Amino acid sequence: MTELIDDYPQHIAVIMDGNGRWAKQRGKHRYAGHLAGVQQARNLIETCVDLPVKVLTLFAFSSENWRRPALEVRLLLNLFLLKLRSEIKTLHANQVCFRLIGDVSAFPDKLQNRVSYSEDLTQNNQALLLQVAANYGGRWDLTQATRRIAAQVAQGELQPEDITEAHISQNLAFPDVPDPDLFIRTGGEVRISNFMLWQCAYTECYFTDTLWPDFDAAALQQALHSFAHRQRRFGRTGEQLKT
Ligand code: IPE
Ligand code: IPE
Ligand code: MG
């Protein structure tokens, strides 16, 4: 069934989970799963460019993923750098605007430089905003927002009693982007794992057992179909929305 444009989420946020298990099922090293996962991310980005979706946020590396074995962390960061190098031209040609959200300061200089270069190169592109969340955590985001607000209070620019939800939203890592409409998590776990805690307050959640490297365009269509048939009430009653 074809959905109407209004039925599409403007912003999709994805926890791409299940790469390790995908590799294990095939008797391969976890890295093979990450490679296949990057390929699927590439496919998903291309699909979204052709859909009325405006923002795609992909969770690539959480602030907790540093706890993985050092070798896996190194391989993941290397893979990110390699793919950013090899893919940025295609992303740019497809009018994709790339942005990294997360604490980049912990990354090797080479990666930080590549991220800045990629952001600068693609900043005016309009087809899709691709946000890659790396060294990102919802708690980190809320903590850094709190620090900025506290600094404004300390400077006398803001009174504590004047702090509103808007102040918090405006001080998060990416204040110019609408909250996600649809949150997808692959890989069978039914948890948020410290993703966009504030921004997902009213996001529609879609969990699937499909492992990330298998999450193809048809799987995305199923998630979109599910989204299109939800009633988003934001606290109101169903009857109110019909009138
Ligand atoms: C998600 O896949 C990718 C990252 C967290 C970088 P996993 O690596 O978590 O895969 P599983 O959960 O072990 O299968
Ligand atoms: C969440 O996946 C982070 C990313 C996909 C980048 P994990 O596989 O690390 O999540 P947990 O730790 O099992 O919840
Ligand atoms: Mg996992």
mmCIF file with all atom_site columns, all heavy atoms in Angstrom, residues 206-227:
data_model
loop_
_atom_site.group_PDB
_atom_site.id
_atom_site.type_symbol
_atom_site.label_atom_id
_atom_site.label_alt_id
_atom_site.label_comp_id
_atom_site.label_asym_id
_atom_site.label_entity_id
_atom_site.label_seq_id
_atom_site.pdbx_PDB_ins_code
_atom_site.Cartn_x
_atom_site.Cartn_y
_atom_site.Cartn_z
_atom_site.occupancy
_atom_site.B_iso_or_equiv
_atom_site.pdbx_formal_charge
_atom_site.auth_seq_id
_atom_site.auth_comp_id
_atom_site.auth_asym_id
_atom_site.auth_atom_id
_atom_site.pdbx_PDB_model_num
ATOM 1   N N   . TYR A 1 206 ? 9.669  1.803   16.726 1.00 0.00 ? 206 TYR A N   1
ATOM 2   C CA  . TYR A 1 206 ? 9.509  0.589   15.914 1.00 0.00 ? 206 TYR A CA  1
ATOM 3   C C   . TYR A 1 206 ? 10.700 -0.315  16.182 1.00 0.00 ? 206 TYR A C   1
ATOM 4   O O   . TYR A 1 206 ? 11.843 0.052   15.925 1.00 0.00 ? 206 TYR A O   1
ATOM 5   C CB  . TYR A 1 206 ? 9.452  0.972   14.439 1.00 0.00 ? 206 TYR A CB  1
ATOM 6   C CG  . TYR A 1 206 ? 9.272  -0.198  13.496 1.00 0.00 ? 206 TYR A CG  1
ATOM 7   C CD1 . TYR A 1 206 ? 8.007  -0.698  13.193 1.00 0.00 ? 206 TYR A CD1 1
ATOM 8   C CD2 . TYR A 1 206 ? 10.372 -0.802  12.887 1.00 0.00 ? 206 TYR A CD2 1
ATOM 9   C CE1 . TYR A 1 206 ? 7.840  -1.768  12.324 1.00 0.00 ? 206 TYR A CE1 1
ATOM 10  C CE2 . TYR A 1 206 ? 10.216 -1.870  12.015 1.00 0.00 ? 206 TYR A CE2 1
ATOM 11  C CZ  . TYR A 1 206 ? 8.952  -2.346  11.734 1.00 0.00 ? 206 TYR A CZ  1
ATOM 12  O OH  . TYR A 1 206 ? 8.783  -3.400  10.862 1.00 0.00 ? 206 TYR A OH  1
ATOM 13  N N   . PHE A 1 207 ? 10.412 -1.482  16.763 1.00 0.00 ? 207 PHE A N   1
ATOM 14  C CA  . PHE A 1 207 ? 11.478 -2.442  17.076 1.00 0.00 ? 207 PHE A CA  1
ATOM 15  C C   . PHE A 1 207 ? 11.330 -3.652  16.162 1.00 0.00 ? 207 PHE A C   1
ATOM 16  O O   . PHE A 1 207 ? 10.203 -4.130  15.946 1.00 0.00 ? 207 PHE A O   1
ATOM 17  C CB  . PHE A 1 207 ? 11.377 -2.899  18.540 1.00 0.00 ? 207 PHE A CB  1
ATOM 18  C CG  . PHE A 1 207 ? 11.639 -1.784  19.524 1.00 0.00 ? 207 PHE A CG  1
ATOM 19  C CD1 . PHE A 1 207 ? 10.587 -1.051  20.076 1.00 0.00 ? 207 PHE A CD1 1
ATOM 20  C CD2 . PHE A 1 207 ? 12.930 -1.454  19.907 1.00 0.00 ? 207 PHE A CD2 1
ATOM 21  C CE1 . PHE A 1 207 ? 10.826 -0.020  20.982 1.00 0.00 ? 207 PHE A CE1 1
ATOM 22  C CE2 . PHE A 1 207 ? 13.182 -0.431  20.816 1.00 0.00 ? 207 PHE A CE2 1
ATOM 23  C CZ  . PHE A 1 207 ? 12.125 0.288   21.352 1.00 0.00 ? 207 PHE A CZ  1
ATOM 24  N N   . THR A 1 208 ? 12.429 -4.116  15.632 1.00 0.00 ? 208 THR A N   1
ATOM 25  C CA  . THR A 1 208 ? 12.372 -5.300  14.774 1.00 0.00 ? 208 THR A CA  1
ATOM 26  C C   . THR A 1 208 ? 13.529 -6.243  15.112 1.00 0.00 ? 208 THR A C   1
ATOM 27  O O   . THR A 1 208 ? 14.616 -5.791  15.486 1.00 0.00 ? 208 THR A O   1
ATOM 28  C CB  . THR A 1 208 ? 12.419 -4.924  13.273 1.00 0.00 ? 208 THR A CB  1
ATOM 29  O OG1 . THR A 1 208 ? 12.587 -6.114  12.504 1.00 0.00 ? 208 THR A OG1 1
ATOM 30  C CG2 . THR A 1 208 ? 13.555 -3.979  12.935 1.00 0.00 ? 208 THR A CG2 1
ATOM 31  N N   . ASP A 1 209 ? 13.262 -7.543  14.964 1.00 0.00 ? 209 ASP A N   1
ATOM 32  C CA  . ASP A 1 209 ? 14.308 -8.541  15.202 1.00 0.00 ? 209 ASP A CA  1
ATOM 33  C C   . ASP A 1 209 ? 15.337 -8.577  14.068 1.00 0.00 ? 209 ASP A C   1
ATOM 34  O O   . ASP A 1 209 ? 16.415 -9.142  14.220 1.00 0.00 ? 209 ASP A O   1
ATOM 35  C CB  . ASP A 1 209 ? 13.688 -9.942  15.336 1.00 0.00 ? 209 ASP A CB  1
ATOM 36  C CG  . ASP A 1 209 ? 12.930 -10.089 16.645 1.00 0.00 ? 209 ASP A CG  1
ATOM 37  O OD1 . ASP A 1 209 ? 13.236 -9.320  17.586 1.00 0.00 ? 209 ASP A OD1 1
ATOM 38  O OD2 . ASP A 1 209 ? 12.040 -10.949 16.732 1.00 0.00 ? 209 ASP A OD2 1
ATOM 39  N N   . THR A 1 210 ? 14.983 -8.023  12.932 1.00 0.00 ? 210 THR A N   1
ATOM 40  C CA  . THR A 1 210 ? 15.904 -8.026  11.789 1.00 0.00 ? 210 THR A CA  1
ATOM 41  C C   . THR A 1 210 ? 17.243 -7.437  12.213 1.00 0.00 ? 210 THR A C   1
ATOM 42  O O   . THR A 1 210 ? 17.294 -6.383  12.846 1.00 0.00 ? 210 THR A O   1
ATOM 43  C CB  . THR A 1 210 ? 15.321 -7.166  10.634 1.00 0.00 ? 210 THR A CB  1
ATOM 44  O OG1 . THR A 1 210 ? 14.040 -7.699  10.317 1.00 0.00 ? 210 THR A OG1 1
ATOM 45  C CG2 . THR A 1 210 ? 16.215 -7.186  9.415  1.00 0.00 ? 210 THR A CG2 1
ATOM 46  N N   . LEU A 1 211 ? 18.328 -8.129  11.894 1.00 0.00 ? 211 LEU A N   1
ATOM 47  C CA  . LEU A 1 211 ? 19.661 -7.620  12.237 1.00 0.00 ? 211 LEU A CA  1
ATOM 48  C C   . LEU A 1 211 ? 20.025 -6.507  11.249 1.00 0.00 ? 211 LEU A C   1
ATOM 49  O O   . LEU A 1 211 ? 19.630 -6.562  10.076 1.00 0.00 ? 211 LEU A O   1
ATOM 50  C CB  . LEU A 1 211 ? 20.680 -8.768  12.183 1.00 0.00 ? 211 LEU A CB  1
ATOM 51  C CG  . LEU A 1 211 ? 20.363 -9.943  13.128 1.00 0.00 ? 211 LEU A CG  1
ATOM 52  C CD1 . LEU A 1 211 ? 21.331 -11.107 12.888 1.00 0.00 ? 211 LEU A CD1 1
ATOM 53  C CD2 . LEU A 1 211 ? 20.380 -9.520  14.589 1.00 0.00 ? 211 LEU A CD2 1
ATOM 54  N N   . TRP A 1 212 ? 20.768 -5.526  11.729 1.00 0.00 ? 212 TRP A N   1
ATOM 55  C CA  . TRP A 1 212 ? 20.983 -4.334  10.897 1.00 0.00 ? 212 TRP A CA  1
ATOM 56  C C   . TRP A 1 212 ? 21.462 -4.641  9.470  1.00 0.00 ? 212 TRP A C   1
ATOM 57  O O   . TRP A 1 212 ? 20.920 -4.083  8.507  1.00 0.00 ? 212 TRP A O   1
ATOM 58  C CB  . TRP A 1 212 ? 21.907 -3.327  11.593 1.00 0.00 ? 212 TRP A CB  1
ATOM 59  C CG  . TRP A 1 212 ? 22.219 -2.198  10.678 1.00 0.00 ? 212 TRP A CG  1
ATOM 60  C CD1 . TRP A 1 212 ? 23.384 -1.929  10.056 1.00 0.00 ? 212 TRP A CD1 1
ATOM 61  C CD2 . TRP A 1 212 ? 21.273 -1.218  10.211 1.00 0.00 ? 212 TRP A CD2 1
ATOM 62  N NE1 . TRP A 1 212 ? 23.258 -0.843  9.233  1.00 0.00 ? 212 TRP A NE1 1
ATOM 63  C CE2 . TRP A 1 212 ? 21.958 -0.384  9.303  1.00 0.00 ? 212 TRP A CE2 1
ATOM 64  C CE3 . TRP A 1 212 ? 19.910 -0.976  10.452 1.00 0.00 ? 212 TRP A CE3 1
ATOM 65  C CZ2 . TRP A 1 212 ? 21.345 0.680   8.654  1.00 0.00 ? 212 TRP A CZ2 1
ATOM 66  C CZ3 . TRP A 1 212 ? 19.292 0.089   9.799  1.00 0.00 ? 212 TRP A CZ3 1
ATOM 67  C CH2 . TRP A 1 212 ? 20.009 0.899   8.912  1.00 0.00 ? 212 TRP A CH2 1
ATOM 68  N N   . PRO A 1 213 ? 22.444 -5.534  9.261  1.00 0.00 ? 213 PRO A N   1
ATOM 69  C CA  . PRO A 1 213 ? 22.901 -5.737  7.878  1.00 0.00 ? 213 PRO A CA  1
ATOM 70  C C   . PRO A 1 213 ? 21.803 -6.307  6.956  1.00 0.00 ? 213 PRO A C   1
ATOM 71  O O   . PRO A 1 213 ? 21.947 -6.265  5.735  1.00 0.00 ? 213 PRO A O   1
ATOM 72  C CB  . PRO A 1 213 ? 24.060 -6.741  8.030  1.00 0.00 ? 213 PRO A CB  1
ATOM 73  C CG  . PRO A 1 213 ? 24.559 -6.507  9.420  1.00 0.00 ? 213 PRO A CG  1
ATOM 74  C CD  . PRO A 1 213 ? 23.311 -6.231  10.231 1.00 0.00 ? 213 PRO A CD  1
ATOM 75  N N   . ASP A 1 214 ? 20.715 -6.807  7.545  1.00 0.00 ? 214 ASP A N   1
ATOM 76  C CA  . ASP A 1 214 ? 19.601 -7.319  6.735  1.00 0.00 ? 214 ASP A CA  1
ATOM 77  C C   . ASP A 1 214 ? 18.468 -6.306  6.583  1.00 0.00 ? 214 ASP A C   1
ATOM 78  O O   . ASP A 1 214 ? 17.454 -6.595  5.949  1.00 0.00 ? 214 ASP A O   1
ATOM 79  C CB  . ASP A 1 214 ? 19.020 -8.600  7.375  1.00 0.00 ? 214 ASP A CB  1
ATOM 80  C CG  . ASP A 1 214 ? 20.010 -9.751  7.360  1.00 0.00 ? 214 ASP A CG  1
ATOM 81  O OD1 . ASP A 1 214 ? 20.806 -9.832  6.393  1.00 0.00 ? 214 ASP A OD1 1
ATOM 82  O OD2 . ASP A 1 214 ? 19.995 -10.557 8.313  1.00 0.00 ? 214 ASP A OD2 1
ATOM 83  N N   . PHE A 1 215 ? 18.629 -5.122  7.186  1.00 0.00 ? 215 PHE A N   1
ATOM 84  C CA  . PHE A 1 215 ? 17.535 -4.142  7.178  1.00 0.00 ? 215 PHE A CA  1
ATOM 85  C C   . PHE A 1 215 ? 17.566 -3.382  5.837  1.00 0.00 ? 215 PHE A C   1
ATOM 86  O O   . PHE A 1 215 ? 18.140 -2.307  5.705  1.00 0.00 ? 215 PHE A O   1
ATOM 87  C CB  . PHE A 1 215 ? 17.665 -3.194  8.375  1.00 0.00 ? 215 PHE A CB  1
ATOM 88  C CG  . PHE A 1 215 ? 16.448 -2.336  8.604  1.00 0.00 ? 215 PHE A CG  1
ATOM 89  C CD1 . PHE A 1 215 ? 15.341 -2.837  9.274  1.00 0.00 ? 215 PHE A CD1 1
ATOM 90  C CD2 . PHE A 1 215 ? 16.411 -1.032  8.143  1.00 0.00 ? 215 PHE A CD2 1
ATOM 91  C CE1 . PHE A 1 215 ? 14.223 -2.056  9.478  1.00 0.00 ? 215 PHE A CE1 1
ATOM 92  C CE2 . PHE A 1 215 ? 15.285 -0.240  8.339  1.00 0.00 ? 215 PHE A CE2 1
ATOM 93  C CZ  . PHE A 1 215 ? 14.197 -0.743  9.009  1.00 0.00 ? 215 PHE A CZ  1
ATOM 94  N N   . ASP A 1 216 ? 16.910 -3.973  4.847  1.00 0.00 ? 216 ASP A N   1
ATOM 95  C CA  . ASP A 1 216 ? 16.959 -3.418  3.486  1.00 0.00 ? 216 ASP A CA  1
ATOM 96  C C   . ASP A 1 216 ? 15.766 -2.487  3.226  1.00 0.00 ? 216 ASP A C   1
ATOM 97  O O   . ASP A 1 216 ? 15.001 -2.178  4.134  1.00 0.00 ? 216 ASP A O   1
ATOM 98  C CB  . ASP A 1 216 ? 17.013 -4.562  2.459  1.00 0.00 ? 216 ASP A CB  1
ATOM 99  C CG  . ASP A 1 216 ? 15.833 -5.511  2.621  1.00 0.00 ? 216 ASP A CG  1
ATOM 100 O OD1 . ASP A 1 216 ? 14.886 -5.188  3.381  1.00 0.00 ? 216 ASP A OD1 1
ATOM 101 O OD2 . ASP A 1 216 ? 15.854 -6.586  1.985  1.00 0.00 ? 216 ASP A OD2 1
ATOM 102 N N   . ALA A 1 217 ? 15.634 -2.064  1.975  1.00 0.00 ? 217 ALA A N   1
ATOM 103 C CA  . ALA A 1 217 ? 14.576 -1.104  1.626  1.00 0.00 ? 217 ALA A CA  1
ATOM 104 C C   . ALA A 1 217 ? 13.189 -1.663  1.952  1.00 0.00 ? 217 ALA A C   1
ATOM 105 O O   . ALA A 1 217 ? 12.294 -0.920  2.387  1.00 0.00 ? 217 ALA A O   1
ATOM 106 C CB  . ALA A 1 217 ? 14.684 -0.735  0.151  1.00 0.00 ? 217 ALA A CB  1
ATOM 107 N N   . ALA A 1 218 ? 13.004 -2.972  1.762  1.00 0.00 ? 218 ALA A N   1
ATOM 108 C CA  . ALA A 1 218 ? 11.693 -3.582  2.046  1.00 0.00 ? 218 ALA A CA  1
ATOM 109 C C   . ALA A 1 218 ? 11.411 -3.522  3.556  1.00 0.00 ? 218 ALA A C   1
ATOM 110 O O   . ALA A 1 218 ? 10.280 -3.258  3.984  1.00 0.00 ? 218 ALA A O   1
ATOM 111 C CB  . ALA A 1 218 ? 11.673 -5.025  1.559  1.00 0.00 ? 218 ALA A CB  1
ATOM 112 N N   . ALA A 1 219 ? 12.454 -3.741  4.360  1.00 0.00 ? 219 ALA A N   1
ATOM 113 C CA  . ALA A 1 219 ? 12.288 -3.674  5.820  1.00 0.00 ? 219 ALA A CA  1
ATOM 114 C C   . ALA A 1 219 ? 11.955 -2.245  6.242  1.00 0.00 ? 219 ALA A C   1
ATOM 115 O O   . ALA A 1 219 ? 11.126 -2.016  7.134  1.00 0.00 ? 219 ALA A O   1
ATOM 116 C CB  . ALA A 1 219 ? 13.560 -4.154  6.507  1.00 0.00 ? 219 ALA A CB  1
ATOM 117 N N   . LEU A 1 220 ? 12.587 -1.276  5.589  1.00 0.00 ? 220 LEU A N   1
ATOM 118 C CA  . LEU A 1 220 ? 12.275 0.123   5.890  1.00 0.00 ? 220 LEU A CA  1
ATOM 119 C C   . LEU A 1 220 ? 10.820 0.421   5.528  1.00 0.00 ? 220 LEU A C   1
ATOM 120 O O   . LEU A 1 220 ? 10.109 1.096   6.270  1.00 0.00 ? 220 LEU A O   1
ATOM 121 C CB  . LEU A 1 220 ? 13.207 1.072   5.123  1.00 0.00 ? 220 LEU A CB  1
ATOM 122 C CG  . LEU A 1 220 ? 12.878 2.559   5.305  1.00 0.00 ? 220 LEU A CG  1
ATOM 123 C CD1 . LEU A 1 220 ? 13.176 3.025   6.736  1.00 0.00 ? 220 LEU A CD1 1
ATOM 124 C CD2 . LEU A 1 220 ? 13.643 3.427   4.311  1.00 0.00 ? 220 LEU A CD2 1
ATOM 125 N N   . GLN A 1 221 ? 10.378 -0.112  4.391  1.00 0.00 ? 221 GLN A N   1
ATOM 126 C CA  . GLN A 1 221 ? 8.979  0.115   3.988  1.00 0.00 ? 221 GLN A CA  1
ATOM 127 C C   . GLN A 1 221 ? 8.011  -0.399  5.044  1.00 0.00 ? 221 GLN A C   1
ATOM 128 O O   . GLN A 1 221 ? 6.977  0.217   5.309  1.00 0.00 ? 221 GLN A O   1
ATOM 129 C CB  . GLN A 1 221 ? 8.685  -0.556  2.628  1.00 0.00 ? 221 GLN A CB  1
ATOM 130 C CG  . GLN A 1 221 ? 9.185  0.230   1.425  1.00 0.00 ? 221 GLN A CG  1
ATOM 131 C CD  . GLN A 1 221 ? 8.682  1.676   1.393  1.00 0.00 ? 221 GLN A CD  1
ATOM 132 O OE1 . GLN A 1 221 ? 7.591  1.999   1.843  1.00 0.00 ? 221 GLN A OE1 1
ATOM 133 N NE2 . GLN A 1 221 ? 9.516  2.583   0.879  1.00 0.00 ? 221 GLN A NE2 1
ATOM 134 N N   . GLN A 1 222 ? 8.347  -1.533  5.651  1.00 0.00 ? 222 GLN A N   1
ATOM 135 C CA  . GLN A 1 222 ? 7.471  -2.076  6.714  1.00 0.00 ? 222 GLN A CA  1
ATOM 136 C C   . GLN A 1 222 ? 7.406  -1.123  7.894  1.00 0.00 ? 222 GLN A C   1
ATOM 137 O O   . GLN A 1 222 ? 6.337  -0.908  8.470  1.00 0.00 ? 222 GLN A O   1
ATOM 138 C CB  . GLN A 1 222 ? 8.012  -3.416  7.200  1.00 0.00 ? 222 GLN A CB  1
ATOM 139 C CG  . GLN A 1 222 ? 7.590  -4.585  6.327  1.00 0.00 ? 222 GLN A CG  1
ATOM 140 C CD  . GLN A 1 222 ? 8.081  -5.910  6.916  1.00 0.00 ? 222 GLN A CD  1
ATOM 141 O OE1 . GLN A 1 222 ? 8.244  -6.051  8.119  1.00 0.00 ? 222 GLN A OE1 1
ATOM 142 N NE2 . GLN A 1 222 ? 8.305  -6.879  6.052  1.00 0.00 ? 222 GLN A NE2 1
ATOM 143 N N   . ALA A 1 223 ? 8.554  -0.563  8.254  1.00 0.00 ? 223 ALA A N   1
ATOM 144 C CA  . ALA A 1 223 ? 8.582  0.389   9.374  1.00 0.00 ? 223 ALA A CA  1
ATOM 145 C C   . ALA A 1 223 ? 7.768  1.640   9.017  1.00 0.00 ? 223 ALA A C   1
ATOM 146 O O   . ALA A 1 223 ? 7.003  2.152   9.838  1.00 0.00 ? 223 ALA A O   1
ATOM 147 C CB  . ALA A 1 223 ? 10.027 0.775   9.697  1.00 0.00 ? 223 ALA A CB  1
ATOM 148 N N   . LEU A 1 224 ? 7.907  2.103   7.780  1.00 0.00 ? 224 LEU A N   1
ATOM 149 C CA  . LEU A 1 224 ? 7.175  3.296   7.343  1.00 0.00 ? 224 LEU A CA  1
ATOM 150 C C   . LEU A 1 224 ? 5.680  3.028   7.300  1.00 0.00 ? 224 LEU A C   1
ATOM 151 O O   . LEU A 1 224 ? 4.857  3.889   7.631  1.00 0.00 ? 224 LEU A O   1
ATOM 152 C CB  . LEU A 1 224 ? 7.674  3.750   5.964  1.00 0.00 ? 224 LEU A CB  1
ATOM 153 C CG  . LEU A 1 224 ? 9.094  4.315   5.941  1.00 0.00 ? 224 LEU A CG  1
ATOM 154 C CD1 . LEU A 1 224 ? 9.583  4.504   4.506  1.00 0.00 ? 224 LEU A CD1 1
ATOM 155 C CD2 . LEU A 1 224 ? 9.157  5.647   6.700  1.00 0.00 ? 224 LEU A CD2 1
ATOM 156 N N   . HIS A 1 225 ? 5.348  1.818   6.893  1.00 0.00 ? 225 HIS A N   1
ATOM 157 C CA  . HIS A 1 225 ? 3.937  1.422   6.828  1.00 0.00 ? 225 HIS A CA  1
ATOM 158 C C   . HIS A 1 225 ? 3.345  1.408   8.245  1.00 0.00 ? 225 HIS A C   1
ATOM 159 O O   . HIS A 1 225 ? 2.242  1.901   8.470  1.00 0.00 ? 225 HIS A O   1
ATOM 160 C CB  . HIS A 1 225 ? 3.842  0.045   6.178  1.00 0.00 ? 225 HIS A CB  1
ATOM 161 C CG  . HIS A 1 225 ? 2.431  -0.404  5.972  1.00 0.00 ? 225 HIS A CG  1
ATOM 162 N ND1 . HIS A 1 225 ? 1.607  0.182   5.039  1.00 0.00 ? 225 HIS A ND1 1
ATOM 163 C CD2 . HIS A 1 225 ? 1.705  -1.367  6.580  1.00 0.00 ? 225 HIS A CD2 1
ATOM 164 C CE1 . HIS A 1 225 ? 0.423  -0.408  5.099  1.00 0.00 ? 225 HIS A CE1 1
ATOM 165 N NE2 . HIS A 1 225 ? 0.459  -1.349  6.032  1.00 0.00 ? 225 HIS A NE2 1
ATOM 166 N N   . SER A 1 226 ? 4.091  0.863   9.183  1.00 0.00 ? 226 SER A N   1
ATOM 167 C CA  . SER A 1 226 ? 3.638  0.840   10.577 1.00 0.00 ? 226 SER A CA  1
ATOM 168 C C   . SER A 1 226 ? 3.435  2.276   11.072 1.00 0.00 ? 226 SER A C   1
ATOM 169 O O   . SER A 1 226 ? 2.418  2.603   11.679 1.00 0.00 ? 226 SER A O   1
ATOM 170 C CB  . SER A 1 226 ? 4.672  0.103   11.445 1.00 0.00 ? 226 SER A CB  1
ATOM 171 O OG  . SER A 1 226 ? 4.432  0.331   12.801 1.00 0.00 ? 226 SER A OG  1
ATOM 172 N N   . PHE A 1 227 ? 4.403  3.140   10.769 1.00 0.00 ? 227 PHE A N   1
ATOM 173 C CA  . PHE A 1 227 ? 4.318  4.544   11.201 1.00 0.00 ? 227 PHE A CA  1
ATOM 174 C C   . PHE A 1 227 ? 3.064  5.220   10.626 1.00 0.00 ? 227 PHE A C   1
ATOM 175 O O   . PHE A 1 227 ? 2.357  5.952   11.320 1.00 0.00 ? 227 PHE A O   1
ATOM 176 C CB  . PHE A 1 227 ? 5.574  5.306   10.752 1.00 0.00 ? 227 PHE A CB  1
ATOM 177 C CG  . PHE A 1 227 ? 5.531  6.765   11.068 1.00 0.00 ? 227 PHE A CG  1
ATOM 178 C CD1 . PHE A 1 227 ? 5.887  7.224   12.340 1.00 0.00 ? 227 PHE A CD1 1
ATOM 179 C CD2 . PHE A 1 227 ? 5.122  7.696   10.116 1.00 0.00 ? 227 PHE A CD2 1
ATOM 180 C CE1 . PHE A 1 227 ? 5.835  8.579   12.648 1.00 0.00 ? 227 PHE A CE1 1
ATOM 181 C CE2 . PHE A 1 227 ? 5.069  9.055   10.419 1.00 0.00 ? 227 PHE A CE2 1
ATOM 182 C CZ  . PHE A 1 227 ? 5.428  9.493   11.682 1.00 0.00 ? 227 PHE A CZ  1
#
